[in-house]
């Protein structure tokens, strides 16, 4: 019996999500109507956002446990796929709540790319650089991420600006089908590379591998011991059970987020209209909800001198956003007859291109430092300035 109660306590986020889902589906529909009043709707927004974020942290915890059991890169891959499932459900739900959300998918993907490649990467590199000076990572793995991310981001967010088959920066039906298929196939090839063919590309390299100088070898031994100690500390923070246990509760904990996304979408749509916020802010809210747990995981990894995990989380999230979200949204648009706009505006295109170029420069070397993190954070600040003052 004590084991049952300890399980309930451990999975409190799932219980909160299930209870919240039951309440809003059975008795809370009136609270989401404009007639309920602004204060009530603000309370419901904070309630839903908090519970969904708590569940998202639960999903990350179970993904971390699976990462320990299965090893990298499978754990990070499971986390990425779970987060993308949440992201797609939120985007589609918000797009279905009204007729003014045609650019939402674009705004969300743009927000994810800027938050991940500039915000999360910048803070991770800055924290790690301030603590350790320089941090090593696997250059081959980072280049593999970017070699797929750059063309997919260009196809998805820039190319639709210049196609002439439609009157606005969108894609025709034929282009949507072909883009969805090609992007999915390329991402599938990348997944095969990451999880089967070249797993070593995405594993933390040993410092100064192959250097024969005795003082460097001694330094390596100290760094390896510290790295192993940090890994052990990270693992000891987790209560690890069976693979089936964590897989089942990962799905169960993610389910309330998906089910509540429609209710959350109503409040987002109402809030943006009531406070006269930029439409792009809806994409930022979705991105923050799904990326906050991953961001904290990336920061912890950088502070533990495990930069490769930070790289896998950040670049993996950015790539999955394009490789999985774009095809899923295009398919949903065809099923529900939703018109979506993918092409970015001029200022966003310049910032996106600058972000991709800077990412190439950052991950070309074998080590990172605090200066690179600071530069990424400057671009992140400019992104938010341009949202409210385009």
């Amino acid at each position: 019996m004590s084991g049952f109660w300890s399980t309930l306590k451990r999975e409190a986020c799932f219980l909160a999500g299930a209870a919240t889902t039951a309440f809003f589906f059975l008795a809370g529909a009136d609270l989401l109507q404009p007639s309920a009043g602004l204060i009530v709707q603000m309370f419901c927004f904070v309630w839903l956002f908090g519970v969904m974020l708590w569940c998202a942290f639960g999903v990350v915890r179970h993904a971390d446990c699976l990462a320990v059991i299965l090893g990298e890169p499978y754990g990070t891959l499971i986390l990425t796929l779970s987060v993308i499932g949440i992201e797609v459900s939120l985007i589609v739900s918000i797009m279905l709540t009204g007729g003014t959300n045609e650019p939402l998918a674009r705004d969300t993907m743009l927000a994810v790319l800027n938050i991940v490649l500039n915000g999360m990467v910048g803070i991770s590199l800055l924290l790690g650089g301030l603590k350790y000076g320089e941090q090593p990572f696997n250059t081959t793995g980072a280049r593999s991420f970017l070699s797929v991310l750059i063309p997919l981001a260009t196809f998805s967010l820039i190319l639709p600006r210049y196609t002439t088959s439609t009157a606005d920066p969108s894609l025709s039906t034929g282009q949507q089908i072909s883009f969805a298929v090609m992007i999915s196939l390329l991402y599938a090839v990348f997944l095969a590379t990451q999880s089967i063919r070249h797993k070593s590309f995405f594993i933390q390299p040993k410092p100064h591998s192959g250097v024969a100088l005795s003082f460097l070898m001694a330094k390596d031994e100290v760094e390896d011991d510290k790295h192993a100690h940090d890994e052990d500390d990270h693992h000891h923070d987790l209560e690890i059970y069976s693979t089936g246990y964590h897989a089942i509760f990962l799905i169960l904990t993610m389910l309330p987020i998906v089910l509540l996304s429609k209710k959350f979408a109503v409040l987002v749509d109402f809030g943006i209209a009531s406070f006269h916020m930029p439409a792009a802010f809806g994409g930022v809210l979705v991105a923050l909800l799904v990326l906050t747990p991953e961001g904290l995981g990336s920061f912890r990894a950088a502070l533990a001198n495990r930069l490769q995990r930070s790289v896998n989380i950040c670049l993996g999230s950015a790539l999955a956003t394009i490789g999985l979200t774009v095809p899923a949204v295009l398919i949903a648009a065809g099923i529900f007859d939703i018109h979506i706009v993918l092409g970015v505006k001029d200022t966003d295109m310049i910032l996106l291109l600058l972000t991709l170029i800077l990412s190439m420069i950052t991950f070309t070397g074998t080590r990172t430092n605090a200066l690179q993190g600071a530069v990424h954070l400057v671009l992140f600040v400019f992104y938010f300035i341009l949202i409210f003052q385009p």
Side-chain angles (χ1 to χ4, degrees), residues 44 118 131 163 280:
C44 290
N118 291 326
K131 186 172 182 180
T163 55

Side-chain angles (χ1 to χ4, degrees), residues 304-319:
N305 205 21
R306 296 182 292 114
L307 187 65
Q308 186 59 46
R309 177 159 174 80
S310 291
V311 172
N312 289 348
I313 290 174
C314 293
L315 297 186
S317 297
L319 179 56

Side-chain angles (χ1 to χ4, degrees), residues 75-340:
T76 303
L77 181 59
I78 291 170
L79 173 60
T80 301
L81 294 176
S82 302
V83 169
I84 292 302
I86 297 171
E87 181 181 328
V88 171
S89 65
L90 286 169
I91 292 175
V92 174
S93 296
I94 296 177
M95 290 177 68
L96 289 172
T97 59
T100 60
N101 295 312
E102 293 178 352
L104 179 70
R106 176 199 69 190
D107 294 338
T108 301
M109 288 183 283
L110 195 62
V112 169
L113 291 178
N114 278 284
I115 291 173
V116 169
L117 296 179
N118 291 326
M120 286 168 52
V121 168
I123 294 175
S124 298
L125 299 189
L126 184 62
L127 292 176
L130 291 176
K131 186 172 182 180
Y132 298 102
E134 292 184 327
Q135 290 184 291
F137 66 97
N138 197 324
T139 308
T140 307
R143 286 204 306 261
S144 299
F145 278 117
L146 292 174
S147 66
V148 182
L149 175 61
I150 292 173
L152 290 191
T154 303
F155 293 154
S156 303
L157 298 175
I158 297 178
L159 190 60
R161 278 180 51 91
Y162 300 100
T163 55
T164 58
S165 57
T166 58
D168 56 4
S170 60
L171 300 174
S172 65
T173 303
Q175 289 173 336
Q176 287 184 3
I177 295 173
S178 58
F179 271 47
V181 171
M182 295 305 298
I183 290 173
S184 300
L185 288 176
L186 184 54
Y187 187 70
V189 172
F190 172 82
L191 290 182
T193 300
Q194 182 185 31
S195 58
I196 301 174
R197 187 75 175 179
H198 297 291
K199 291 191 294 184
S200 60
F201 290 178
F202 307 93
I203 297 175
Q204 181 76 36
K206 291 185 177 180
H208 308 298
S209 177
V211 179
L213 296 176
S214 59
F215 73 95
L216 287 177
M217 293 176 65
K219 181 182 178 182
D220 287 351
E221 291 177 0
V222 173
E223 291 184 359
D224 284 343
D225 289 342
K226 186 177 185 306
H227 175 72
H229 177 70
D230 290 333
E231 288 281 3
D232 290 340
D233 286 346
H234 175 68
H235 294 170
H236 288 324
D237 291 338
L238 299 171
E239 294 183 70
I240 301 174
Y241 299 93
S242 67
T243 303
Y245 173 89
H246 292 295
I248 291 172
F249 271 103
L250 185 148
I251 296 172
L252 290 177
T253 308
M254 186 171 65
L255 195 58
I257 306 177
V258 176
L259 294 176
L260 289 171
S261 59
K262 181 68 174 178
K263 310 297 182 182
F264 180 75
V266 174
L267 297 174
V268 170
D269 198 49
F270 177 79
I272 289 177
S274 299
F275 292 99
H276 305 288
M277 302 289 285
F281 192 69
V284 174
L285 286 176
V286 174
L288 288 175
L289 179 60
V290 299
L291 290 175
T292 297
E294 286 192 294
L296 294 178
S298 176
F299 306 155
R300 286 196 299 266
L303 287 172
N305 205 21
R306 296 182 292 114
L307 187 65
Q308 186 59 46
R309 177 159 174 80
S310 291
V311 172
N312 289 348
I313 290 174
C314 293
L315 297 186
S317 297
L319 179 56
T321 294
I322 302 297
L324 292 177
T325 303
V326 171
V329 168
L330 290 176
I331 292 172
I335 295 174
F336 297 106
D337 193 24
I338 304 173
H339 181 71
I340 60 174

